[in-house]
């Protein structure tokens, strides 16, 4: 385990009023031994929207407000203004949470859709410590998946964009300091033809944006070595499809995203219902045994003593 990373864990909401964490070290080092989940009983029905610098962003789905929570210190921030005051009935189409290092602020961005009007985009940004929502005008087309990836002070999603007569896949990048967006091109020499899923999955490995493409014969991982520079895309590895075969079943695992890379040799992948461990050196796959279901988004949490003045 990287000694600079302190007790990494995955946090997610389980839908029964509990927030759950799983230690990454147990998943990686002892996949055949049961990895026990740690449950946090919360006073409200919270949903996890992200984690950054040892802080977890929680949404109270009933009352419509956000807080920051540090599970290590039990710190909780003040509540944000409630979305219930902005919209009588609402849902969240996509969202992102991250840290603006320029202004030392934590921010959450979301596209709120009033029920019954799915075409009405209300992209709002909340800065923790302030008492109001900011509207982000002219936000571009919605992402293909509602969760973002935070890296280098930006929130990132995969989007589909019409370019002339063709649909092109790109990465939408929102700069938390400037509160502006740009678009990043995908690797120019990857092969779209034959992909089982034309929309790549976005992740973060080694603090770099990571794209995974399912070509039908391989799962191909690309890393952006220098953020925002399309020429820095580097093919990291190719996992043969036969290693993604479900044991004793027909068909392959559907990989949602790469989650973690251990000692530069083992990649942790997330599917709809399981974690997978692929050994890049030996070409073998393991399925860690865990004590809870993982049917929701997991967010990497790194322990810290951060308790921001908000």
């Amino acid at each position: 385990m990287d000694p600079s990373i302190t007790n990494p864990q995955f946090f997610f909401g389980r839908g029964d009023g509990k927030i759950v964490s799983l230690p990454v070290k147990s998943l990686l080092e002892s996949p055949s031994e049961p990895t026990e989940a740690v449950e946090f009983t919360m006073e409200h029905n919270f949903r996890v929207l992200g984690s950054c610098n040892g802080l977890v962003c929680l949404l109270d789905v009933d009352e419509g407000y956000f807080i920051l929570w540090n599970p290590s210190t039990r710190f909780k921030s003040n509540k944000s203004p409630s979305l219930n005051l902005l919209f009588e009935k609402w849902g969240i189409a996509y969202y992102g949470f991250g840290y603006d290092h320029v202004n030392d602020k934590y921010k959450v961005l979301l596209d709120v859709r009033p029920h019954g009007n799915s075409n009405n985009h209300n992209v709002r940004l909340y800065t923790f410590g302030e008492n109001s929502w900011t509207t982000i005008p002219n936000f571009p087309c919605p992402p293909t998946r509602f969760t973002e990836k935070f890296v280098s002070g930006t929130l990132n999603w995969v989007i589909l964009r019409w370019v002339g007569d063709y649909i092109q896949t790109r990465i939408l990048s929102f700069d938390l300091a400037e509160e502006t967006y740009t678009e990043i091109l995908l690797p120019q020499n990857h092969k779209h033809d034959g992909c089982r899923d034309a929309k790549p999955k976005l992740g973060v490995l080694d603090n770099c944006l990571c794209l995974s493409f399912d070509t039908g014969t391989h799962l191909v991982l690309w890393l952006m070595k220098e953020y925002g520079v399309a020429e820095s895309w580097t093919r990291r590895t190719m996992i043969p499809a036969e290693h993604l075969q479900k044991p004793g079943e027909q068909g392959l695992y559907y990989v949602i995203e790469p989650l973690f890379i251990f000692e530069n040799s083992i990649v942790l992948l997330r599917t709809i219902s399981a974690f997978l461990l692929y050994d890049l050196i030996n070409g073998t796959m393991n399925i860690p045994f865990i004590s809870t279901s993982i049917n929701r988004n997991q967010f990497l949490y790194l322990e810290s003593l951060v308790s921001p003045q908000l």
Side-chain angles (χ1 to χ4, degrees):
M1 187 70 62
D2 185 341
S4 67
I5 296 178
T6 305
N7 192 23
Q9 302 166 61
F10 288 115
F11 268 74
F12 53 99
R14 205 172 57 182
D16 58 358
K18 289 185 172 66
I19 302 298
V20 178
S21 74
L22 288 171
V24 176
K25 186 174 182 178
S26 296
L27 289 171
L28 295 171
E29 295 183 346
S30 306
S32 60
E33 299 294 326
T35 296
E36 295 295 330
V38 176
E39 297 180 350
F40 297 83
T41 300
M42 312 299 284
E43 69 275 19
H44 295 280
N45 182 17
F46 283 119
R47 175 179 171 187
V48 180
L49 293 195
S51 177
C52 179
N53 296 345
L55 296 173
V56 180
C57 181
L58 300 176
L59 164 66
D60 185 315
V61 297
D62 297 317
E63 299 185 18
Y65 65 82
F66 296 85
I67 64 168
L68 295 182
W69 171 52
N70 187 329
S72 300
T73 64
R74 306 294 175 162
F75 162 84
K76 288 184 180 178
S77 71
N78 293 327
K79 301 175 183 178
S80 74
S82 174
L83 291 171
N84 295 347
L85 300 178
L86 297 176
F87 308 98
E88 182 178 357
K89 295 182 179 180
W90 52 269
I92 296 176
Y94 59 91
Y95 58 83
F97 166 69
Y99 176 60
D100 167 8
H101 64 279
V102 175
N103 300 298
D104 190 24
K105 297 289 185 179
Y106 292 89
K107 300 179 179 181
V108 59
L109 179 144
L110 60 157
D111 181 359
V112 185
R113 306 287 179 89
H115 287 323
N117 191 352
S118 60
N119 294 320
N120 185 3
H121 294 264
N122 290 276
V123 180
R124 305 294 177 107
L125 183 74
Y126 179 69
T127 301
F128 284 92
E130 301 180 2
N131 200 38
S132 62
W133 290 90
T134 300
T135 299
I136 305 297
N138 304 318
F139 209 76
C141 54
T144 59
R145 289 179 173 83
F146 57 87
T147 54
E148 51 70 44
K149 296 301 169 189
F150 171 73
V151 66
S152 298
T154 66
L155 306 176
N156 299 268
W157 299 265
V158 171
I159 62 171
L160 299 178
R161 167 77 76 192
W162 279 100
V163 179
D165 296 329
Y166 300 94
I167 294 180
Q168 189 176 77
T169 307
R170 295 183 177 182
I171 294 173
L172 173 64
S173 171
F174 182 78
D175 187 299
L176 287 169
E178 299 294 332
E179 298 184 359
T180 57
Y181 63 86
T182 187
E183 295 180 10
I184 299 173
L185 296 178
L186 270 57
Q188 295 303 294
N189 56 344
H190 82 90
K191 298 296 183 182
H192 263 306
D193 297 338
C195 286
R196 287 201 305 162
D197 186 352
K199 300 182 292 294
K201 317 302 186 304
L202 192 62
V204 177
L205 292 180
D206 289 339
N207 295 316
C208 298
L209 275 185
C210 176
L211 286 172
S212 58
F213 295 88
D214 184 346
T215 67
T217 61
H218 292 81
L219 183 72
V220 186
L221 303 183
W222 291 77
L223 294 186
M224 177 174 265
K225 294 291 190 177
E226 183 178 351
Y227 181 79
V229 179
E231 293 76 17
S232 72
W233 282 114
T234 303
R235 192 172 69 186
R236 179 63 179 83
T237 192
M238 299 175 66
I239 301 175
E242 56 263 29
H243 293 306
L244 299 173
Q245 181 74 41
K246 294 181 179 180
E249 300 181 34
Q250 295 289 330
L252 304 177
Y253 280 109
Y254 181 78
V255 174
I256 295 176
E257 65 173 300
L259 290 173
F260 199 85
I261 189 164
F262 176 56
E263 294 185 346
N264 213 32
S265 62
I266 298 176
V267 178
L268 179 64
L269 306 168
R270 180 168 72 93
T271 73
I272 293 175
S273 59
F275 289 123
L276 303 178
L277 285 174
Y278 183 71
D279 191 314
L280 299 174
I281 297 175
N282 299 327
T284 57
M285 187 74 76
N286 275 314
I287 304 175
F289 177 68
I290 61 174
S291 63
T292 188
S293 61
I294 60 165
N295 58 346
R296 291 179 179 267
N297 292 303
Q298 293 84 45
F299 298 94
L300 185 64
Y301 166 81
L302 307 179
E303 284 187 341
S304 82
L305 299 179
V306 170
S307 297
Q309 300 297 316
L310 300 175

